[in-house]
């Protein structure tokens, strides 16, 4: 089974900071990777798909990179509204899998 | 407006059954793969099952295989999840979600429903 491992599991950062979250796949998934943001009590919202394509309407401070087994989500300049939990998801197989999540707190 | 609305959740005893529904609107439901994803309290996202546009192809997570059945009614633009032999480990918010692109089997999910809580407890 495909495993997705995110790091760190949580982080705290200040407004204006550059934040990077990493996602590793247990097998090659090419660029079949999406990133989501989830706020408490809400459904996830897609930020990035195909590893590096910004979803329409998502602020340009969000960016994604990587291919194969190693991926990163970067927030260029952290804003107060960026708190929440971030998940990566692979869609290279019929059984999509999510990373365990990275909880981002604003200092 | 593209919208997914889940219903049918609630409290059920261990060993019991429940059927979730997801009403879709604002898009051609019969053109998309659909998915159920769940999230246990305080935990991460777990894919549960997905189904192809015609309903002829279905896949399940190992954790629910043999107990849950995904189905759809394209005439009613509705997705279903029949859940049997429920245990406390099935307590979660269940989301229905659509593949982003029509006919795409391997895809990210957008949009998602608001989620519905299923609690398995005596």
């Amino acid at each position: 089974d495909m495993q997705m491992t995110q790091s760190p599991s949580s982080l705290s950062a200040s407004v204006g900071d550059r934040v990077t979250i990493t996602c590793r796949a247990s097998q090659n998934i090419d660029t079949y990777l999406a990133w989501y943001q989830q706020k408490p009590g809400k459904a996830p919202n897609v930020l990035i798909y195909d590893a590096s394509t910004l979803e329409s309407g998502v602020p340009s401070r969000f960016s994604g990179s990587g291919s194969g087994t190693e991926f990163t989500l970067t927030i260029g300049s952290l804003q107060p509204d960026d708190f929440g939990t971030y998940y990566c998801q692979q869609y290279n197989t019929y059984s999509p899998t999510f990373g365990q999540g990275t909880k981002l707190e604003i200092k | 407006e593209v919208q997914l609305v889940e219903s049918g959740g609630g409290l059920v005893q261990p060993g019991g059954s429940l059927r979730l529904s997801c009403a879709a609107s604002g898009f051609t439901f019969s053109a998309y793969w659909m998915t159920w994803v769940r999230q246990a309290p305080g935990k991460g996202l777990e894919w549960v099952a997905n189904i192809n546009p015609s309903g002829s192809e279905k896949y399940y997570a190992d954790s629910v295989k043999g107990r849950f059945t995904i189905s759809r009614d394209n005439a009613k633009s509705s997705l279903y999840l029949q859940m049997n032999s429920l245990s406390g480990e099935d307590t979660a918010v269940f989301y229905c979600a659509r593949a982003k692109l029509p006919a795409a089997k391997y895809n990210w999910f957008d949009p998602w429903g608001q989620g519905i809580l299923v609690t398995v407890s005596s």
Side-chain angles (χ1 to χ4, degrees), chain A residues 8 12-13 34 38 40 65-67 69 83 94 107:
Chain A
S12 180
Q38 185 180 34
S65 65
S67 67
T69 61
F83 74 93
Y94 67 84
K107 284 181 185 174

Side-chain angles (χ1 to χ4, degrees), chain A residues 29-97:
Chain A
I29 59 168
D30 196 2
T31 56
Y32 296 110
L33 185 103
W35 289 96
Y36 300 87
Q37 178 195 59
Q38 185 180 34
K39 298 285 183 77
K42 301 293 187 181
N45 282 317
V46 62
L47 302 171
I48 302 282
Y49 61 89
D50 290 346
S52 61
T53 303
L54 193 67
E55 173 70 7
S56 176
V58 174
S60 59
R61 62 180 179 274
F62 291 93
S63 64
S65 65
S67 67
T69 61
E70 189 118 354
F71 303 86
T72 58
L73 173 70
T74 300
I75 307 174
S77 178
L78 195 64
Q79 298 301 303
D81 189 49
D82 296 338
F83 74 93
T85 303
Y86 291 80
Y87 294 93
C88 61
Q89 177 230 327
Q90 67 80 17
Y91 46 96
N92 187 56
T93 72
Y94 67 84
S95 57
T97 45

